[in-house]
Every structure is written in C-alpha cells, then in structure tokens.
Amino acid sequence: MGWFRIISIDKEGLQAIEGSCSFGDKNVITIGRASDNDIQVNNLEVSKHHAELFRENEHYFIKDTGSKNGTVVNGKKLDAPYRLKDKDWIGLIGKLKIVYYEEEPELKSVIPVHFRGKSKKLTCKV
C-alpha cells in the first residue's frame, strides 16, 4: 500500500511533519488549494486543482493537472504522469514537499519542529 508524508522545510532546513497518510481504498488522491481536494494546500502559488496521486495496476503515479507553477519529482518538472518509487520527493511549491513511501514511514526519519504558527498550511483528509 502506498503511503505519503507531507513535510514543510523552514529556511534553516529543519523539517516538520504536517501529515502522514495512505491511499487506503482510494485510487485517486487530489492535491490543491480548493477545499474539495483530498490534500488541501493553503498557498496561493498552488493551483486550485494542482496534481493527482493515483493507483494503477498496484503501482502509484503522480500527474500535474495543468497547474500554473507545475509539479516536480526529485527536482525534475513533470510533463507526463510519473511512476513513484520509494522515497521520491514531490514538490508543489517552495518548501512544501510530499514524500512517497512504499511502506508506512517511521516518524523518527524526520525531525518534528513547530514553525511559529505556520504548521497548519496543509490539511490531509484521506
């Protein structure tokens, strides 16, 4: 089962876990600024419907859904759906990242910190 962790990185490079979720029974998880997304990102640089994570034949993919600023995996901008591999980093904008895991991730792999009131940027409804 595919898992993903939502991470914020501050200007000093410290990481904070915003959420950790699995696909569960869903085949598609939507990401964007609008409230109808499974993962809602409260940032104007993220499009209302920015990207989708989806399952196909027991493999997990991400695709940009025509966002203004694009979606990046491991530093490369997507121009087609991308098959995710364990620990791939998905970038939507700036310091907000989603990390894909093939197995449920352990919390000790990331240092949790509080970002002076900014830790509520993301909502995971999955």
Side-chain angles (χ1 to χ4, degrees), residues 9-126:
I9 303 173
D10 73 2
K11 59 186 169 188
E12 288 95 31
L14 296 173
Q15 300 175 355
I17 299 166
E18 300 282 355
S20 189
C21 309
S22 74
F23 272 82
D25 293 335
K26 296 187 89 155
N27 287 318
V28 176
I29 294 174
T30 58
I31 304 167
R33 200 175 71 243
S35 62
D36 62 342
N37 286 288
D38 297 307
I39 300 174
Q40 185 181 4
V41 182
N42 186 17
N43 187 309
L44 292 176
E45 292 182 45
V46 173
S47 296
K48 289 181 182 177
H49 298 98
H50 196 101
E52 290 181 353
L53 295 159
F54 64 96
R55 179 177 18 209
E56 189 174 283
N57 299 324
E58 301 306 314
H59 298 289
Y60 298 90
F61 296 81
I62 185 161
K63 70 176 180 178
D64 188 89
T65 54
S67 69
K68 180 179 177 185
N69 293 319
T71 303
V72 174
V73 176
N74 301 326
K76 296 182 181 181
K77 192 170 183 179
L78 294 181
D79 56 7
Y82 173 85
R83 182 176 164 191
L84 292 165
K85 296 180 239 24
D86 193 44
K87 298 183 180 123
D88 275 341
W89 282 73
I90 301 162
L92 302 173
I93 53 96
K95 303 294 183 183
L96 300 175
K97 307 290 181 207
I98 297 173
V99 183
Y100 169 78
Y101 294 91
E102 292 174 357
E103 302 292 330
E104 184 174 5
E106 293 183 36
L107 287 177
K108 64 183 176 183
S109 64
V110 176
I111 302 166
V113 295
H114 185 267
F115 289 151
R116 299 170 289 287
K118 295 183 181 178
S119 62
K120 298 297 181 196
K121 285 185 179 179
L122 305 177
T123 305
C124 184
K125 297 187 277 187
V126 194

